[in-house]
């Protein structure tokens, strides 16, 4: 009887071992998903051939897309160009706040760990591209001479035109910007970025990294702006943008800088003109103007 008892324990322990082996094998199967550089206009990953990992603190840390800090193929090499893109969109691109948020979310697609392990440029859901097109159709874009993709209009660009003058729908906009577009947001697998499935994933990874991020970004003015922005949105949008929360901060930061710069410049211009004329004048109707803008196709 005692012997049988021992035998049973032996079997039991072995079966535990077996399960651990299985779990290991499964985990190993998962970690065989490794970072693959997307090519195109996107800078290569520095950890190509390795699984996505936590972003390291210090000079190579993500400057944007921090929602993906926990697990990503990105480092500063990818987020810096993304940051520049959003900054241009906010300044010379004259984009609305919603356009900035969506564009930031789009630029962050390369840093999504599930996108980073796929071959080729990020797959964006067509529905998400349509939303970007709606929000960004009147923002200014230019064809980048080096990469031959549509990018937010910069100071040095000769020919800047509204998105609606370059392209006629969301699919075209995403493709022209260097992404590939998936027509359907299928459940289950990970077919595309920016659909409901991908927002849910981001929401959950955001919740777990939230405290970390809040400590990092202590610009309370920006936070308040964001809260106001969220409060002004219709419910459906609020839900998806609550996801971005404090994570999508770059567009917000640039927009609030733009606001204060604009006011300061306007005041300075009024003072200069006032001094010259020796009188008080009313503020100009249009706060921003470009010397280098030419409308495309007109
Ligand atoms: C977008 O526009 C292009 C060119 O006008 C057209 O060929 C394509 O079918 C359109 N796509 C959608 C989803 O409407």
């Amino acid at each position: 009887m005692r012997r049988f008892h021992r035998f049973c324990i032996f079997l039991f322990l072995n079966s535990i071992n077996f399960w651990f082996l299985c779990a290991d094998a499964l985990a190993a199967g998962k970690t065989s998903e490794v970072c693959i550089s997307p090519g195109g206009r996107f800078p290569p990953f520095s950890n190509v051939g390795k699984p996505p990992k936590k972003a390291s603190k210090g000079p190579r840390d993500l400057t944007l897309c921090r929602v993906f800090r926990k697990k990503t193929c990105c480092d500063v090499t990818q987020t810096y160009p993304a940051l520049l893109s959003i900054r241009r969109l906010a300044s010379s691109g004259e984009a609305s706040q919603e356009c900035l948020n969506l564009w930031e979310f789009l630029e962050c697609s390369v840093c999504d760990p599930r996108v980073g392990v796929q071959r080729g440029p990020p797959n964006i859901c067509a529905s998400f591209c349509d939303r970007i097109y709606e929000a960004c159709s009147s923002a200014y874009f230019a064809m980048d001479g080096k990469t031959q993709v549509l990018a937010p209009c910069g100071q040095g660009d000769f020919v800047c035109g509204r998105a609606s003058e370059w392209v006629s729908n969301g699919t075209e906009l995403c493709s022209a910007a260097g992404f590939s577009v998936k027509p359907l947001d299928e459940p289950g697998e990970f077919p595309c970025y920016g659909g409901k499935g991908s927002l849910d994933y981001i929401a959950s990874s955001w919740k777990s990294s939230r405290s970390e991020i809040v400590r990092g970004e202590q610009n309370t003015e920006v936070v308040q702006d964001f809260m106001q922005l969220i409060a002004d949105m219709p419910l459906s949008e609020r839900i998806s943008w609550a996801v971005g929360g404090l994570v999508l901060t770059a567009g917000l930061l640039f927009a609030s800088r733009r606001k204060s710069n604009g006011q300061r410049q306007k005041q300075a211009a009024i003072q200069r003109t006032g001094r010259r004329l020796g009188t008080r004048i009313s503020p100009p109707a249009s706060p921003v103007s470009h010397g280098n803008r030419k409308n495309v196709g007109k």
Side-chain angles (χ1 to χ4, degrees):
M1 192 63 202
R2 195 166 200 149
R3 218 178 215 173
F4 179 67
H5 193 161
R6 266 203 214 140
F7 179 68
C8 284
I9 289 178
F10 172 78
L11 267 187
F12 176 69
L13 288 177
N14 256 341
S15 72
I16 288 184
N17 242 338
F18 173 75
W19 282 115
F20 271 115
L21 274 176
C22 277
D24 276 357
L26 282 175
K30 272 210 182 115
T31 51
S32 71
E33 294 211 313
V34 294
C35 297
I36 303 169
S37 287
R41 70 168 170 105
F42 304 97
F45 295 131
S46 43
N47 62 336
V48 170
K50 297 191 200 115
K53 61 175 199 322
K54 190 171 190 298
S56 55
K57 286 204 163 63
R60 304 212 60 79
D61 199 353
L62 305 187
T63 50
L64 191 75
C65 317
R66 295 172 65 85
V67 66
F68 297 121
R69 274 201 88 238
K70 284 215 145 167
K71 201 177 170 208
T72 186
C73 294
C74 285
D75 60 21
V76 68
T77 320
Q78 285 75 36
T79 57
Y80 185 64
L83 194 69
L84 292 185
S85 165
I86 295 153
R87 192 168 72 183
R88 284 202 310 216
L89 192 59
S91 52
S92 358
E94 297 180 20
S96 67
Q97 186 65 60
E98 206 204 342
C99 172
L100 288 175
N101 286 345
L102 293 171
W103 196 262
E104 182 168 347
F105 196 57
L106 175 69
E107 287 285 354
C108 285
S109 56
V110 273
C111 299
D112 186 318
R114 298 159 308 164
V115 172
V117 299
Q118 288 177 342
R119 215 163 277 283
N123 280 330
I124 313 295
C125 302
S127 57
F128 181 55
C129 294
D130 289 341
R131 218 164 127 190
I132 300 174
Y133 184 76
E134 253 173 58
C136 297
S137 60
S138 60
Y140 287 90
F141 288 81
M143 199 55 82
D144 188 310
K146 249 192 306 195
T147 56
Q148 285 299 306
V149 297
L150 202 59
C153 171
Q155 291 296 340
D157 287 319
F158 269 142
V159 185
C160 291
R162 293 183 189 275
S164 57
E165 290 166 328
W166 289 102
V167 289
S168 61
N169 57 39
T171 300
E172 269 192 275
L173 178 59
C174 284
S175 320
F179 299 91
S180 65
V181 183
K182 279 274 133 38
L184 280 177
D185 181 17
E186 292 149 10
E189 283 281 299
F190 178 68
C192 61
Y193 176 90
K196 186 174 178 308
S198 99
L199 285 173
D200 289 346
Y201 171 87
I202 291 161
S204 60
S205 66
W206 177 51
K207 265 186 228 126
S208 61
S209 60
R210 184 178 175 181
S211 54
E212 202 179 317
I213 288 155
V214 171
R215 245 183 294 127
E217 325 277 345
Q218 284 175 340
N219 195 331
T220 47
E221 198 186 324
V222 170
V223 173
Q224 278 166 6
D225 267 6
F226 193 84
M227 293 310 169
Q228 187 55 48
L229 182 75
I230 292 276
D232 293 342
M233 281 180 182
L235 186 64
S236 60
E237 275 179 20
R238 210 186 302 167
I239 292 166
S240 53
W241 287 113
V243 166
L246 303 172
V247 178
L248 297 169
T249 50
L252 221 65
L253 192 67
F254 293 136
S256 71
R257 252 188 234 161
R258 173 175 67 188
K259 217 187 307 171
S260 58
N261 275 349
Q263 273 157 8
R264 234 175 299 140
Q265 280 166 6
K266 216 191 301 182
Q267 243 155 22
I270 293 166
Q271 278 166 5
R272 273 198 307 273
T273 321
R275 271 200 301 274
R276 216 178 314 139
L277 300 177
T279 56
R280 279 174 60 87
I281 57 162
S282 58
S286 159
V288 195
S289 72
H290 281 277
N292 63 352
R293 164 148 324 131
K294 295 189 185 68
N295 279 350
V296 173
K298 291 229 167 116

